[in-house]
Amino acid sequence: MTVVRAIQEADGLHVTFGPDGHEAVFAQTWLANYATAEVDRRSEDAKRLWSARDFPAGPPVTHWSVFASSDGVRLRCLRELLSTGFMLLRGVPAVPGAVADVIASFGYIRETNYGRLFDVQVETAPTNLAYTSLPIGPHTDNPYRDPVPTLQALHCLVSSAEGGESGLLDGFRAAAQLRAEDPPAFDRLCQTPVVFSYADTAAQLRATRPMIGLNLAGMIREIRYNSRSMEPMRPRSGALPAEAANEMHDFYVAYRAFAAILLRPSGTLRFTLAPGDCIVFDNTRILHSRTGFSAAGRRHLQGCYADIDGVESTVAVLARSCGRKAG
Amino acid sequence: MTVVRAIQEADGLHVTFGPDGHEAVFAQTWLANYATAEVDRRSEDAKRLWSARDFPAGPPVTHWSVFASSDGVRLRCLRELLSTGFMLLRGVPAVPGAVADVIASFGYIRETNYGRLFDVQVETAPTNLAYTSLPIGPHTDNPYRDPVPTLQALHCLVSSAEGGESGLLDGFRAAAQLRAEDPPAFDRLCQTPVVFSYADTAAQLRATRPMIGLNLAGMIREIRYNSRSMEPMRPRSGALPAEAANEMHDFYVAYRAFAAILLRPSGTLRFTLAPGDCIVFDNTRILHSRTGFSAAGRRHLQGCYADIDGVESTVAVLARSCGRKAG
């Protein structure tokens, strides 16, 4: 097939194709729509990177009843969720299962071996650090799963224990800082496959992915960071022993440099979840953490995984009816 | 922290760390476990690539009652699913919802805007080519979703129409063929982000990903191919107009080269689904297609998305009890 003729007319570009003489008209608006480069909306290019000081009054809060009833408010909040990577809803009924209603307002639950919903509270025989009262450093969930759940919700049902403060941290910003401060370390974490794994009696999961994932344009696109499920490094296939030793050394130096950035107090937005609070965040970007809490009292969160493409879809559909002004 | 001393003893390697003198013992078996390179199990490295001639008698068939009741059979079939990218179950009760039981036997449904299950049959006002009687060329589903569903099941409930033959094609093998026959075209498809999109009244989805995705070692890891949801190419950000024109030309030439390989009849395994048949396949690798069918009679499939990490987990857990011999 060839282009025989192309003529610009009032209603668009008239193109005649050979050999059969088929003519097609491409409208100017259609052509203009594809004349500019696409932004990868999942990458740092489309996000507002932040540190704790960008939220001096703590995380912005939206009341669930308003979120659920107002398309305009839901649109604004979900856009913030896409842009900053998190949103905090207040007043979600502190009853088991309510977190499923939150997810249903913009997407679909991703069921896993942990169930449709999972309970984060102290267990007598915990299979996971989450089910103790111990502190947990900043991490993303389930890096051993592929595809990783791209969204997580944690809904507070009971909070009478001392401590257990929550923290959120922008992993894209931390990775961008590593790139600025130590480019070779950044490159090493982007280029080294890491094995993440998890096993209990009913499941055994394993994924091989870098800690910092880039898109084809080299922009930061996803963070996997979890010291508990990361396996010791292995030699690269085909590497000579001395090469492998050097590469592993360089990897661990880079990992420590990234860890040091993640542990800077300025990065983490800290707040305490009260019953009825529900935090929703991008699990490919935001690292979450908690401080330890006392044995006296109880702390019970109900959690749920979901996917962020549902949020993007809901935003796009709401924007049709709310118009651009609502954003 | 430094290593002060490392001594090989009968029970393993005794390492003394400074400055505090902490000693740790690393067992030989533990060390040996991490001494070899990891294979990325999602990549072509861990798969058996195939063409239609590898299955002269058609796709291997397992009866659902045996699959559901025998751990050993289930283990073997699921390993085949991971290795070849598909499995065909026969005798799944031809009643709505049964496909959910199939998924529940090894994983979890991925609910989407199409529902937990979706019905593939002729509709009067179809929003998708699937809901007509027209032929559909080889494609992967939902490339506009990110994360894409990594597994798909299609369960035949009714098949009284003439035609509607199903086809499966190994996308990893097709991509490997492109790499062998036309390396620049292969590289172009690996390096060019493609925008895939979908919109109806209730959803609007969009993802920016290459047609052929590689892992960090450069091995083929995922295929996205769907001419219906692929948007026209846009210029690369920062490219001069002449560069952009050349890049787009090269991309479309590469796309046609890949399409030509996909359309070779030798690649596609063809078979007809009968009521009770359920085909399950890796949607990051296997392209599926169907021929058109007659207006007389009915053809009704019920479909479902899920994720392949559940299959890997089930295989690993079954292998613990069945032992290696069962595989």
Side-chain angles (χ1 to χ4, degrees):
Chain A
M1 196 168 76
T2 57
V3 171
V4 175
R5 193 170 55 228
I7 301 173
Q8 184 73 60
E9 295 191 18
D11 61 340
L13 190 69
H14 290 237
V15 179
T16 307
F17 295 96
D20 64 350
H22 178 81
E23 186 181 299
V25 181
F26 298 90
Q28 287 305 332
T29 49
W30 189 93
L31 288 167
N33 191 32
Y34 298 107
T36 54
E38 172 83 2
V39 170
D40 177 359
R41 299 174 191 202
R42 291 293 179 84
S43 79
E44 58 179 320
D45 268 343
K47 308 297 186 186
R48 184 158 66 89
L49 307 193
W50 55 266
S51 72
R53 81 174 67 95
D54 294 313
F55 301 99
V61 172
T62 304
H63 202 276
W64 166 245
S65 62
V66 181
F67 181 90
S69 61
S70 162
D71 285 354
V73 170
R74 199 153 71 258
L75 176 59
R76 184 177 49 73
C77 284
L78 294 176
R79 280 184 167 151
E80 281 300 301
L81 170 57
L82 295 178
S83 172
T84 64
F86 71 94
M87 68 172 180
L88 177 55
L89 299 173
R90 184 150 288 166
V92 178
V95 295
V99 68
D101 299 332
V102 172
I103 297 296
S105 72
F106 53 72
Y108 305 93
I109 290 176
R110 173 95 77 88
E111 186 174 0
T112 71
N113 53 298
Y114 300 119
R116 280 179 65 77
L117 309 182
F118 50 87
D119 290 286
V120 182
Q121 56 188 333
V122 175
E123 292 182 2
T124 46
T127 55
N128 198 304
L129 191 59
Y131 309 146
T132 70
S133 62
L134 295 168
I136 308 182
H139 66 283
T140 62
D141 264 29
N142 293 16
Y144 42 76
R145 199 182 298 286
D146 190 355
V148 78
T150 51
L151 208 69
Q152 180 171 180
L154 287 169
H155 176 216
C156 181
L157 297 179
V158 180
S159 176
S160 63
E162 194 85 18
E165 196 184 32
S166 299
L168 294 180
L169 183 159
D170 186 350
F172 280 10
R173 184 173 190 273
Q177 274 184 284
L178 182 67
R179 180 173 57 198
E181 295 175 13
D182 189 344
F186 175 81
D187 290 343
R188 181 62 65 176
L189 296 188
C190 295
Q191 295 304 324
T192 308
V194 175
V195 179
F196 296 96
S197 70
Y198 172 84
D200 63 22
T201 52
Q204 187 169 327
L205 293 153
R206 185 179 196 81
T208 308
R209 288 284 203 173
M211 221 174 255
I212 302 174
L214 304 180
N215 67 11
L216 290 170
M219 304 310 290
I220 299 163
R221 197 183 210 273
E222 50 189 21
I223 305 294
R224 279 182 174 74
Y225 188 93
N226 193 316
S227 57
R228 288 167 287 140
S229 57
M230 180 181 160
E231 295 206 344
M233 291 306 289
R234 291 172 168 78
R236 178 172 55 83
S237 173
L240 298 172
E243 280 178 335
N246 278 337
E247 288 172 3
M248 272 192 249
H249 175 266
D250 290 351
F251 172 82
Y252 279 109
V253 168
Y255 176 28
R256 287 174 68 104
F258 192 35
I261 290 173
L262 295 175
L263 294 176
R264 285 176 196 163
S266 61
T268 297
L269 180 61
R270 298 192 179 282
F271 53 96
T272 300
L273 291 174
D277 286 356
C278 182
I279 186 91
V280 182
F281 54 91
D282 178 348
N283 188 51
T284 68
R285 171 183 173 193
I286 302 296
L287 288 79
H288 61 294
S289 58
R290 70 153 189 239
T291 59
F293 53 92
S294 65
R298 274 183 68 209
R299 181 178 187 270
H300 182 187
L301 307 184
Q302 203 166 47
C304 180
Y305 297 122
D307 281 304
I308 204 164
D309 56 359
V311 177
E312 290 169 338
S313 177
T314 302
V315 163
V317 171
L318 284 173
R320 289 182 205 159
S321 51
C322 294
R324 288 172 178 274
K325 283 177 206 153
Chain B
M1 196 166 77
T2 57
V3 171
V4 174
R5 195 171 51 229
I7 301 172
Q8 185 72 60
E9 296 192 16
D11 61 340
L13 189 70
H14 289 238
V15 178
T16 308
F17 294 95
D20 65 351
H22 178 80
E23 187 182 297
V25 182
F26 297 89
Q28 288 305 332
T29 49
W30 189 93
L31 287 167
N33 190 32
Y34 298 107
T36 53
E38 171 82 1
V39 169
D40 177 356
R41 298 174 191 202
R42 291 293 179 83
S43 78
E44 58 178 319
D45 268 343
K47 308 297 185 186
R48 184 157 68 89
L49 307 195
W50 55 266
S51 72
R53 80 175 65 98
D54 296 313
F55 301 99
V61 171
T62 304
H63 202 277
W64 166 245
S65 63
V66 181
F67 180 89
S69 61
S70 162
D71 284 354
V73 170
R74 200 153 69 257
L75 176 59
R76 183 178 51 72
C77 283
L78 294 176
R79 279 183 168 153
E80 281 300 301
L81 170 58
L82 295 177
S83 173
T84 64
F86 71 94
M87 67 172 181
L88 177 57
L89 300 172
R90 184 149 289 167
V92 179
V95 294
V99 68
D101 299 332
V102 172
I103 297 296
S105 72
F106 54 73
Y108 305 93
I109 290 176
R110 173 95 75 88
E111 187 175 359
T112 70
N113 52 298
Y114 300 118
R116 280 177 66 76
L117 309 182
F118 51 87
D119 290 286
V120 182
Q121 56 187 333
V122 175
E123 292 182 0
T124 46
T127 56
N128 199 305
L129 191 59
Y131 308 147
T132 70
S133 63
L134 295 168
I136 308 181
H139 65 283
T140 63
D141 264 28
N142 293 16
Y144 42 77
R145 200 183 299 286
D146 190 356
V148 78
T150 52
L151 207 68
Q152 181 172 178
L154 288 170
H155 176 217
C156 182
L157 297 180
V158 179
S159 176
S160 63
E162 194 85 16
E165 197 185 31
S166 300
L168 296 179
L169 183 159
D170 186 350
F172 281 11
R173 184 173 191 274
Q177 274 185 283
L178 181 67
R179 181 174 56 199
E181 295 176 14
D182 188 345
F186 175 80
D187 290 343
R188 181 62 64 175
L189 296 189
C190 295
Q191 296 305 324
T192 307
V194 175
V195 179
F196 296 96
S197 71
Y198 173 84
D200 63 21
T201 53
Q204 187 169 327
L205 293 153
R206 186 178 194 82
T208 307
R209 290 283 202 174
M211 224 175 250
I212 303 174
L214 304 179
N215 69 11
L216 290 170
M219 305 311 289
I220 299 163
R221 195 183 212 273
E222 50 189 21
I223 305 294
R224 278 183 174 74
Y225 189 93
N226 193 316
S227 58
R228 289 167 288 141
S229 57
M230 181 182 159
E231 294 206 346
M233 292 305 290
R234 290 174 170 76
R236 178 172 55 81
S237 173
L240 297 172
E243 281 178 334
N246 279 336
E247 288 172 2
M248 273 192 249
H249 176 266
D250 290 351
F251 172 82
Y252 279 109
V253 168
Y255 175 28
R256 287 174 70 105
F258 192 37
I261 290 173
L262 296 175
L263 295 176
R264 286 177 195 162
S266 61
T268 296
L269 179 60
R270 298 191 179 281
F271 53 96
T272 300
L273 291 173
D277 287 356
C278 181
I279 185 91
V280 182
F281 54 91
D282 179 346
N283 188 51
T284 69
R285 173 183 172 194
I286 303 296
L287 288 80
H288 61 294
S289 58
R290 73 155 188 239
T291 59
F293 53 92
S294 65
R298 273 184 67 209
R299 182 178 187 267
H300 181 188
L301 307 183
Q302 203 166 49
C304 179
Y305 297 121
D307 282 302
I308 203 164
D309 56 358
V311 177
E312 291 169 337
S313 176
T314 301
V315 163
V317 171
L318 284 173
R320 289 182 204 160
S321 51
C322 294
R324 286 171 179 273
K325 282 175 210 158

